[in-house]
Amino acid sequence: MSRHRALRTKVRRGIAKWPVLIVGLVALLVLGWLGYSWVGGIVERRAAAQAGDCNEGEALLRVAATPSVAEAIKQVAEAWSAQRPVVYDHCIRTEVQSIDSEVVLEGLTQGWDTADIGERPHAWVTDSTLWANRLSAQNAVLLGAAPESIATSPVLLALHEDAAQALQSGSAFRWTDLPDLTGAADGWGRFGKPEWGRFSVAMPDPATNAATAMAVQSALAGASPDGKGPVTADMLALDPVKSTMSRLASSTPAETPAGTWEALNLLADEQAVNAVGYSAVPVFEVDLYRHNTGKDSGAAPLKPLYGVAAGGPTPVADFPFVPLAGDWVGEAQARAAQAFREFLQEDAPQGILARAGLRVEATTERPKPSPGVRWAAVTDQLAPADANTTQQISAAWATADDGQVVTVLVDTSKSMEEPGGEGRSRMDWVRQALSGQVNRSVSGSLGLWEFSAGLDGDKPYRELVPTGQVAAQRQALLDGVARLEPRSATQLYTSLLALYEQRVRGHEAGKLNRIVVLTDGVNDGGLTFDELTGRLAALKQEGKDVAVSIIAIGPDPERAPLGELARSTGGTLSVVEDGRGVDAALAQLLSTT
């Protein structure tokens, strides 16, 4: 037995050796080949990227950046390019252009002038989501993805040094104090300086100056029932909020410049309080830093302006990165924009933004020197209004000074019965938007017409409410809106001509006279486009301009002729995918003066 076991043991050992060795050798060869291929692939790809030898060649990512941050974005782009990024087998080259947000918005929505401002961007870095909201309100399909903040900057009041010291040493100042403070004849008396007279604050148009828009939001939040933000569209219809808006708008000095930068420059040129007609101006912290150090003008002012942070919830700009969409944005650019945004969030690029005067989470580093800027901590941040409400605030401000005469021409063709979103028809959304605008309007003039076919004998149009002061006919306007019902055809051109002719005759001098058209279909009867444009041209009178702005709903309107028609009269074309976008588009339109 023992011998037999020994024999079996020897035989088994003899059989096991060489197959195991062969299998092991083969496995090692296979693993070695796979490892070599994998490492070789990485080396090859890295070498290709480093050499710029990408299979699909080079792709250009164009980024438009607001001047506040353009210099820093260029530095980040250079750091990113040094890594030789490759997206979809394209070597990415990034080009950053410093361009005002107002110019970008107008170019994207009303026609991009390549000869004047270069090629259209694939991404946009602006100072506030307010601008992205406005883009969405005019044409939402141009947003490639949701905007994401890359840095922040609080809103301050910029004043002369002695005025800033008085403001900080006196009674606590809050943004919600602005309406009462600016409306008083002796506002500076509250801070121990009655000899300075009014506490006047320049408030450049909030439709084009985001710092003003955010300061207005903060002031309105104090008039809300709970005394804090966010401001909502419903709040804007409340009498205390409308009163606050009216008082704040009416107290804005007549000498207020159109833009924040111009207001800062004028204020810095004169050292006496109120010498230029105002004592202070709202400004983003980063812009005050750039102004005081001459980053944009090339020369710092002789004396810096000083920033004061008001008490209570502080409005803060979020500096979003906005990917764009359109037929000029390819897949490579869309992916490159995403990759660049992700790079902007890394620690090293965040440091570049911080040293440029912006606030980031990655570091508390601040630029030095920074005259006039204390970089005070923001302990209570205002909750911002939503996208729709931001448009409503600007519209309410624009109409608060009785400077607009608006007549709305509404499409009541059968197609307005079609779904407009959330189980409601397009007409339902139009009625809601118009009713809201009537309820929120502080002042100004408004009239209402409808158009379809055969509404008044053989006329395809009908006047529902004559154009007049909103305050004097608010209920009549609401009743007129309630009577809007879809009927038959879409005879826009004949109807528009009749209304245009009436508004030229009734033109109110010194005010913005405009027609707003709400339509969802093609013109299908009456005048042709050429006949309309010819007769409109003949009706024009010097000094009696009437702008025609159009909000096109859904996929059916003839956008090319509508855009041409709007531009020829000095108006604009907005495009909304369904009825849900009408409210914001209407407010955005009315906020633009």
Side-chain angles (χ1 to χ4, degrees):
M1 290 286 295
S2 61
R3 185 175 182 271
H4 178 66
R5 287 177 181 169
L7 181 62
R8 286 182 61 190
T9 302
K10 285 184 180 181
V11 171
R12 289 184 65 187
R13 288 177 180 172
I15 293 173
K17 284 186 177 179
W18 64 269
V20 172
L21 290 173
I22 292 175
V23 170
L25 181 60
V26 171
L28 288 172
L29 289 172
V30 171
L31 290 172
W33 179 81
L34 291 173
Y36 173 80
S37 299
W38 178 69
V39 172
I42 291 177
V43 172
E44 184 179 348
R45 286 192 295 273
R46 286 181 177 174
Q50 291 172 357
D53 183 19
C54 300
N55 294 337
E56 298 297 328
E58 184 180 81
L60 175 64
L61 174 66
R62 290 189 295 271
V63 180
T66 186
S68 304
V69 72
E71 182 181 343
I73 297 296
K74 286 179 182 178
Q75 293 179 31
V76 175
E78 290 171 359
W80 193 50
S81 297
Q83 297 184 2
R84 300 195 178 275
V86 178
V87 175
Y88 270 25
D89 291 332
H90 288 84
C91 290
I92 303 300
R93 181 168 63 88
T94 307
E95 180 180 280
V96 179
Q97 180 184 11
S98 177
I99 183 168
D100 289 333
S101 294
E102 182 182 4
V103 175
V104 176
L105 178 66
E106 182 178 357
L108 290 173
T109 58
Q110 306 305 323
W112 193 272
D113 188 346
T114 303
D116 186 38
I117 53 179
E119 296 294 331
R120 287 177 292 189
H122 306 114
W124 182 20
V125 180
T126 183
D127 51 27
S128 171
T129 298
L130 293 171
W131 291 105
N133 292 341
R134 289 166 184 155
L135 177 62
S136 177
Q138 293 189 58
N139 195 347
V141 299
L142 295 175
L143 282 177
E148 292 192 32
S149 174
I150 60 169
T152 63
S153 189
V155 180
L156 308 174
L157 267 186
L159 311 95
H160 296 138
E161 183 178 13
D162 52 352
Q165 289 175 347
L167 192 62
Q168 290 171 318
S169 61
S171 301
F173 167 71
R174 299 168 64 91
W175 287 111
T176 53
D177 297 334
L178 273 182
D180 291 334
L181 191 58
T182 58
D186 58 347
W188 274 110
R190 171 176 165 178
F191 304 100
K193 297 290 184 179
E195 67 274 17
W196 288 350
R198 286 187 176 275
F199 186 95
S200 299
V201 179
M203 303 284 274
D205 186 358
T208 53
N209 295 272
T212 301
M214 299 180 75
V216 171
Q217 274 194 42
S218 296
L220 294 181
S224 65
D226 56 3
K228 59 182 181 180
V231 179
T232 67
D234 289 341
M235 283 170 49
L236 297 177
L238 300 175
D239 288 339
V241 178
K242 287 196 290 186
S243 174
T244 298
M245 176 74 79
S246 180
R247 287 185 292 127
L248 191 58
S250 62
S251 65
T252 299
E255 300 87 351
T256 297
T260 300
W261 273 95
E262 184 182 356
L264 289 173
N265 290 334
L266 289 174
L267 188 62
D269 286 344
E270 296 287 345
Q271 289 304 305
V273 176
N274 282 336
V276 293
Y278 53 89
S279 312
V281 59
V283 60
F284 293 136
E285 182 180 62
V286 62
D287 285 337
L288 180 59
Y289 161 71
R290 294 183 65 81
H291 171 270
N292 286 345
T293 54
K295 295 292 184 181
D296 289 306
S297 63
L302 294 178
K303 291 188 177 182
L305 296 174
Y306 284 74
V308 175
T314 300
V316 176
D318 58 349
F319 282 83
F321 185 94
V322 186
L324 299 175
D327 55 11
W328 70 94
V329 183
E331 186 66 26
Q333 281 86 9
R335 293 302 180 98
Q338 178 182 349
F340 185 50
R341 177 191 58 75
E342 292 172 353
F343 182 74
L344 280 161
Q345 302 284 9
E346 295 181 6
D347 286 351
Q350 289 276 285
I352 293 175
L353 298 177
R355 290 188 290 277
L358 292 158
R359 299 195 180 204
V360 298
E361 292 184 1
T363 179
T364 57
E365 184 177 6
R366 303 286 182 249
K368 296 178 181 180
S370 53
V373 183
R374 298 173 56 216
W375 310 106
V378 176
T379 57
D380 190 7
Q381 184 171 328
L382 178 75
D386 62 29
N388 182 35
T389 305
T390 59
Q391 314 309 320
Q392 312 299 345
I393 292 172
S394 294
W397 179 275
T399 60
D401 63 353
D402 197 28
Q404 291 198 52
V405 180
V406 181
T407 308
V408 182
L409 178 61
V410 181
D411 183 348
T412 53
S413 62
K414 203 68 175 174
S415 58
M416 291 292 281
E417 288 181 335
E418 294 183 7
E422 299 182 16
R424 304 173 64 186
S425 70
R426 293 170 179 172
M427 183 57 76
D428 286 337
W429 288 106
V430 167
R431 283 193 291 257
Q432 176 178 306
L434 292 174
S435 296
Q437 187 59 46
V438 171
N439 283 322
R440 291 186 295 266
S441 293
V442 177
S443 63
S445 296
L446 186 64
L448 181 65
W449 285 40
E450 64 174 330
F451 74 93
S452 180
L455 291 177
D456 183 9
D458 61 349
K459 296 177 182 178
Y461 53 85
R462 177 164 52 198
E463 182 182 62
L464 296 176
V465 185
T467 304
Q469 288 290 317
V470 174
Q473 58 177 14
R474 201 180 301 272
Q475 190 57 52
L477 286 163
L478 293 172
D479 292 342
V481 170
R483 293 200 302 271
L484 293 170
E485 292 290 344
R487 302 175 191 278
S488 55
T490 311
Q491 293 192 18
L492 169 60
Y493 297 162
T494 301
S495 305
L496 179 56
L497 178 65
L499 177 53
Y500 188 88
E501 186 174 12
Q502 189 217 60
R503 296 319 308 154
V504 170
R505 290 197 307 268
H507 186 276
E508 296 189 33
K511 298 183 179 181
L512 177 58
N513 293 250
R514 67 196 334 172
I515 293 170
V516 177
V517 179
L518 294 165
T519 184
D520 76 338
V522 298
N523 182 73
D524 55 7
L527 294 176
T528 66
F529 180 77
D530 289 340
E531 289 171 336
L532 170 64
T533 53
R535 294 181 65 174
L536 287 178
L539 285 170
K540 286 184 178 180
Q541 296 182 32
E542 186 175 354
K544 292 188 174 183
D545 294 331
V546 179
V548 177
S549 291
I550 302 168
I551 298 176
I553 309 167
D556 297 331
E558 298 173 308
R559 299 184 186 186
L562 291 179
E564 182 180 339
L565 174 62
R567 286 190 293 273
S568 70
T569 62
T572 60
L573 172 65
S574 302
V575 180
V576 296
E577 295 181 41
D578 57 32
R580 290 171 291 188
V582 173
D583 201 5
L586 178 62
Q588 164 61 21
L589 192 163
L590 295 178
S591 70
T592 305
T593 58

PDB file of all heavy atoms in Angstrom, residues 61-82:
ATOM      1  N   LEU A  61     -12.979  77.639 -29.166  1.00  0.00           N
ATOM      2  CA  LEU A  61     -14.020  77.965 -28.189  1.00  0.00           C
ATOM      3  C   LEU A  61     -13.977  79.463 -27.949  1.00  0.00           C
ATOM      4  O   LEU A  61     -13.014  79.990 -27.410  1.00  0.00           O
ATOM      5  CB  LEU A  61     -13.796  77.207 -26.875  1.00  0.00           C
ATOM      6  CG  LEU A  61     -14.733  77.576 -25.713  1.00  0.00           C
ATOM      7  CD1 LEU A  61     -16.168  77.179 -26.047  1.00  0.00           C
ATOM      8  CD2 LEU A  61     -14.261  76.937 -24.411  1.00  0.00           C
ATOM      9  N   ARG A  62     -15.028  80.152 -28.370  1.00  0.00           N
ATOM     10  CA  ARG A  62     -15.104  81.605 -28.177  1.00  0.00           C
ATOM     11  C   ARG A  62     -15.943  81.900 -26.934  1.00  0.00           C
ATOM     12  O   ARG A  62     -17.085  81.441 -26.825  1.00  0.00           O
ATOM     13  CB  ARG A  62     -15.714  82.294 -29.397  1.00  0.00           C
ATOM     14  CG  ARG A  62     -14.816  82.275 -30.630  1.00  0.00           C
ATOM     15  CD  ARG A  62     -15.378  83.168 -31.734  1.00  0.00           C
ATOM     16  NE  ARG A  62     -16.656  82.670 -32.221  1.00  0.00           N
ATOM     17  CZ  ARG A  62     -16.796  81.802 -33.206  1.00  0.00           C
ATOM     18  NH1 ARG A  62     -15.711  81.313 -33.824  1.00  0.00           N
ATOM     19  NH2 ARG A  62     -17.994  81.417 -33.605  1.00  0.00           N
ATOM     20  N   VAL A  63     -15.391  82.690 -26.027  1.00  0.00           N
ATOM     21  CA  VAL A  63     -16.067  83.048 -24.785  1.00  0.00           C
ATOM     22  C   VAL A  63     -16.202  84.564 -24.713  1.00  0.00           C
ATOM     23  O   VAL A  63     -15.199  85.288 -24.798  1.00  0.00           O
ATOM     24  CB  VAL A  63     -15.286  82.543 -23.556  1.00  0.00           C
ATOM     25  CG1 VAL A  63     -16.016  82.927 -22.266  1.00  0.00           C
ATOM     26  CG2 VAL A  63     -15.093  81.029 -23.626  1.00  0.00           C
ATOM     27  N   ALA A  64     -17.430  85.045 -24.574  1.00  0.00           N
ATOM     28  CA  ALA A  64     -17.671  86.470 -24.348  1.00  0.00           C
ATOM     29  C   ALA A  64     -17.719  86.696 -22.838  1.00  0.00           C
ATOM     30  O   ALA A  64     -18.433  85.986 -22.127  1.00  0.00           O
ATOM     31  CB  ALA A  64     -18.984  86.902 -24.981  1.00  0.00           C
ATOM     32  N   ALA A  65     -16.966  87.662 -22.344  1.00  0.00           N
ATOM     33  CA  ALA A  65     -16.903  87.908 -20.902  1.00  0.00           C
ATOM     34  C   ALA A  65     -17.156  89.376 -20.607  1.00  0.00           C
ATOM     35  O   ALA A  65     -16.636  90.258 -21.301  1.00  0.00           O
ATOM     36  CB  ALA A  65     -15.545  87.484 -20.340  1.00  0.00           C
ATOM     37  N   THR A  66     -17.977  89.633 -19.591  1.00  0.00           N
ATOM     38  CA  THR A  66     -18.210  91.011 -19.168  1.00  0.00           C
ATOM     39  C   THR A  66     -16.887  91.632 -18.731  1.00  0.00           C
ATOM     40  O   THR A  66     -16.020  90.940 -18.181  1.00  0.00           O
ATOM     41  CB  THR A  66     -19.239  91.039 -18.021  1.00  0.00           C
ATOM     42  OG1 THR A  66     -19.568  92.393 -17.715  1.00  0.00           O
ATOM     43  CG2 THR A  66     -18.714  90.364 -16.779  1.00  0.00           C
ATOM     44  N   PRO A  67     -16.672  92.927 -18.985  1.00  0.00           N
ATOM     45  CA  PRO A  67     -15.374  93.547 -18.679  1.00  0.00           C
ATOM     46  C   PRO A  67     -14.924  93.361 -17.235  1.00  0.00           C
ATOM     47  O   PRO A  67     -13.713  93.321 -16.970  1.00  0.00           O
ATOM     48  CB  PRO A  67     -15.626  95.025 -19.000  1.00  0.00           C
ATOM     49  CG  PRO A  67     -16.658  94.996 -20.088  1.00  0.00           C
ATOM     50  CD  PRO A  67     -17.561  93.851 -19.720  1.00  0.00           C
ATOM     51  N   SER A  68     -15.847  93.199 -16.290  1.00  0.00           N
ATOM     52  CA  SER A  68     -15.478  93.028 -14.885  1.00  0.00           C
ATOM     53  C   SER A  68     -14.574  91.829 -14.669  1.00  0.00           C
ATOM     54  O   SER A  68     -13.750  91.816 -13.748  1.00  0.00           O
ATOM     55  CB  SER A  68     -16.737  92.850 -14.031  1.00  0.00           C
ATOM     56  OG  SER A  68     -17.624  93.926 -14.192  1.00  0.00           O
ATOM     57  N   VAL A  69     -14.732  90.813 -15.504  1.00  0.00           N
ATOM     58  CA  VAL A  69     -14.042  89.547 -15.272  1.00  0.00           C
ATOM     59  C   VAL A  69     -13.250  89.082 -16.486  1.00  0.00           C
ATOM     60  O   VAL A  69     -12.576  88.061 -16.435  1.00  0.00           O
ATOM     61  CB  VAL A  69     -15.081  88.474 -14.857  1.00  0.00           C
ATOM     62  CG1 VAL A  69     -15.939  88.050 -16.030  1.00  0.00           C
ATOM     63  CG2 VAL A  69     -14.444  87.279 -14.187  1.00  0.00           C
ATOM     64  N   ALA A  70     -13.296  89.827 -17.585  1.00  0.00           N
ATOM     65  CA  ALA A  70     -12.681  89.383 -18.838  1.00  0.00           C
ATOM     66  C   ALA A  70     -11.185  89.134 -18.696  1.00  0.00           C
ATOM     67  O   ALA A  70     -10.656  88.133 -19.198  1.00  0.00           O
ATOM     68  CB  ALA A  70     -12.944  90.404 -19.939  1.00  0.00           C
ATOM     69  N   GLU A  71     -10.482  90.021 -18.013  1.00  0.00           N
ATOM     70  CA  GLU A  71      -9.032  89.870 -17.868  1.00  0.00           C
ATOM     71  C   GLU A  71      -8.684  88.575 -17.136  1.00  0.00           C
ATOM     72  O   GLU A  71      -7.777  87.833 -17.525  1.00  0.00           O
ATOM     73  CB  GLU A  71      -8.467  91.077 -17.109  1.00  0.00           C
ATOM     74  CG  GLU A  71      -6.961  91.064 -16.928  1.00  0.00           C
ATOM     75  CD  GLU A  71      -6.456  92.269 -16.152  1.00  0.00           C
ATOM     76  OE1 GLU A  71      -7.216  93.268 -16.030  1.00  0.00           O
ATOM     77  OE2 GLU A  71      -5.327  92.208 -15.649  1.00  0.00           O
ATOM     78  N   ALA A  72      -9.433  88.295 -16.066  1.00  0.00           N
ATOM     79  CA  ALA A  72      -9.181  87.074 -15.298  1.00  0.00           C
ATOM     80  C   ALA A  72      -9.539  85.828 -16.107  1.00  0.00           C
ATOM     81  O   ALA A  72      -8.830  84.817 -16.062  1.00  0.00           O
ATOM     82  CB  ALA A  72      -9.982  87.103 -13.999  1.00  0.00           C
ATOM     83  N   ILE A  73     -10.631  85.878 -16.867  1.00  0.00           N
ATOM     84  CA  ILE A  73     -11.034  84.735 -17.692  1.00  0.00           C
ATOM     85  C   ILE A  73      -9.978  84.456 -18.752  1.00  0.00           C
ATOM     86  O   ILE A  73      -9.680  83.289 -19.069  1.00  0.00           O
ATOM     87  CB  ILE A  73     -12.408  84.971 -18.333  1.00  0.00           C
ATOM     88  CG1 ILE A  73     -13.492  85.095 -17.255  1.00  0.00           C
ATOM     89  CG2 ILE A  73     -12.768  83.855 -19.293  1.00  0.00           C
ATOM     90  CD1 ILE A  73     -13.695  83.850 -16.432  1.00  0.00           C
ATOM     91  N   LYS A  74      -9.373  85.498 -19.282  1.00  0.00           N
ATOM     92  CA  LYS A  74      -8.299  85.306 -20.264  1.00  0.00           C
ATOM     93  C   LYS A  74      -7.114  84.582 -19.622  1.00  0.00           C
ATOM     94  O   LYS A  74      -6.517  83.692 -20.229  1.00  0.00           O
ATOM     95  CB  LYS A  74      -7.850  86.659 -20.818  1.00  0.00           C
ATOM     96  CG  LYS A  74      -8.832  87.285 -21.793  1.00  0.00           C
ATOM     97  CD  LYS A  74      -8.325  88.641 -22.283  1.00  0.00           C
ATOM     98  CE  LYS A  74      -9.330  89.293 -23.221  1.00  0.00           C
ATOM     99  NZ  LYS A  74      -8.874  90.640 -23.667  1.00  0.00           N
ATOM    100  N   GLN A  75      -6.770  84.958 -18.399  1.00  0.00           N
ATOM    101  CA  GLN A  75      -5.661  84.296 -17.708  1.00  0.00           C
ATOM    102  C   GLN A  75      -5.973  82.822 -17.457  1.00  0.00           C
ATOM    103  O   GLN A  75      -5.106  81.953 -17.620  1.00  0.00           O
ATOM    104  CB  GLN A  75      -5.381  84.998 -16.385  1.00  0.00           C
ATOM    105  CG  GLN A  75      -4.835  86.413 -16.528  1.00  0.00           C
ATOM    106  CD  GLN A  75      -4.598  87.076 -15.181  1.00  0.00           C
ATOM    107  OE1 GLN A  75      -4.295  86.418 -14.203  1.00  0.00           O
ATOM    108  NE2 GLN A  75      -4.750  88.390 -15.131  1.00  0.00           N
ATOM    109  N   VAL A  76      -7.210  82.546 -17.062  1.00  0.00           N
ATOM    110  CA  VAL A  76      -7.615  81.155 -16.846  1.00  0.00           C
ATOM    111  C   VAL A  76      -7.566  80.385 -18.161  1.00  0.00           C
ATOM    112  O   VAL A  76      -7.114  79.231 -18.207  1.00  0.00           O
ATOM    113  CB  VAL A  76      -9.016  81.084 -16.219  1.00  0.00           C
ATOM    114  CG1 VAL A  76      -9.485  79.632 -16.114  1.00  0.00           C
ATOM    115  CG2 VAL A  76      -9.020  81.733 -14.835  1.00  0.00           C
ATOM    116  N   ALA A  77      -8.017  81.009 -19.235  1.00  0.00           N
ATOM    117  CA  ALA A  77      -8.002  80.348 -20.543  1.00  0.00           C
ATOM    118  C   ALA A  77      -6.579  80.021 -20.971  1.00  0.00           C
ATOM    119  O   ALA A  77      -6.323  78.959 -21.564  1.00  0.00           O
ATOM    120  CB  ALA A  77      -8.683  81.242 -21.585  1.00  0.00           C
ATOM    121  N   GLU A  78      -5.653  80.919 -20.686  1.00  0.00           N
ATOM    122  CA  GLU A  78      -4.243  80.651 -21.020  1.00  0.00           C
ATOM    123  C   GLU A  78      -3.712  79.463 -20.222  1.00  0.00           C
ATOM    124  O   GLU A  78      -2.977  78.617 -20.755  1.00  0.00           O
ATOM    125  CB  GLU A  78      -3.410  81.899 -20.751  1.00  0.00           C
ATOM    126  CG  GLU A  78      -3.685  83.040 -21.727  1.00  0.00           C
ATOM    127  CD  GLU A  78      -3.023  84.341 -21.313  1.00  0.00           C
ATOM    128  OE1 GLU A  78      -2.357  84.349 -20.235  1.00  0.00           O
ATOM    129  OE2 GLU A  78      -3.181  85.348 -22.031  1.00  0.00           O
ATOM    130  N   ALA A  79      -4.090  79.383 -18.942  1.00  0.00           N
ATOM    131  CA  ALA A  79      -3.652  78.252 -18.106  1.00  0.00           C
ATOM    132  C   ALA A  79      -4.259  76.944 -18.605  1.00  0.00           C
ATOM    133  O   ALA A  79      -3.600  75.898 -18.603  1.00  0.00           O
ATOM    134  CB  ALA A  79      -4.057  78.507 -16.653  1.00  0.00           C
ATOM    135  N   TRP A  80      -5.505  77.007 -19.042  1.00  0.00           N
ATOM    136  CA  TRP A  80      -6.171  75.806 -19.565  1.00  0.00           C
ATOM    137  C   TRP A  80      -5.526  75.370 -20.877  1.00  0.00           C
ATOM    138  O   TRP A  80      -5.273  74.179 -21.108  1.00  0.00           O
ATOM    139  CB  TRP A  80      -7.657  76.080 -19.747  1.00  0.00           C
ATOM    140  CG  TRP A  80      -8.490  74.858 -19.992  1.00  0.00           C
ATOM    141  CD1 TRP A  80      -8.491  73.711 -19.265  1.00  0.00           C
ATOM    142  CD2 TRP A  80      -9.452  74.666 -21.035  1.00  0.00           C
ATOM    143  NE1 TRP A  80      -9.399  72.804 -19.778  1.00  0.00           N
ATOM    144  CE2 TRP A  80     -10.003  73.370 -20.864  1.00  0.00           C
ATOM    145  CE3 TRP A  80      -9.915  75.451 -22.086  1.00  0.00           C
ATOM    146  CZ2 TRP A  80     -10.979  72.853 -21.713  1.00  0.00           C
ATOM    147  CZ3 TRP A  80     -10.898  74.953 -22.924  1.00  0.00           C
ATOM    148  CH2 TRP A  80     -11.415  73.663 -22.741  1.00  0.00           C
ATOM    149  N   SER A  81      -5.255  76.335 -21.738  1.00  0.00           N
ATOM    150  CA  SER A  81      -4.633  76.028 -23.036  1.00  0.00           C
ATOM    151  C   SER A  81      -3.257  75.414 -22.856  1.00  0.00           C
ATOM    152  O   SER A  81      -2.816  74.587 -23.669  1.00  0.00           O
ATOM    153  CB  SER A  81      -4.541  77.297 -23.891  1.00  0.00           C
ATOM    154  OG  SER A  81      -5.824  77.800 -24.185  1.00  0.00           O
ATOM    155  N   ALA A  82      -2.554  75.800 -21.792  1.00  0.00           N
ATOM    156  CA  ALA A  82      -1.223  75.242 -21.527  1.00  0.00           C
ATOM    157  C   ALA A  82      -1.293  73.745 -21.253  1.00  0.00           C
ATOM    158  O   ALA A  82      -0.305  73.032 -21.435  1.00  0.00           O
ATOM    159  CB  ALA A  82      -0.586  75.964 -20.352  1.00  0.00           C
TER     160      ALA A  82
END
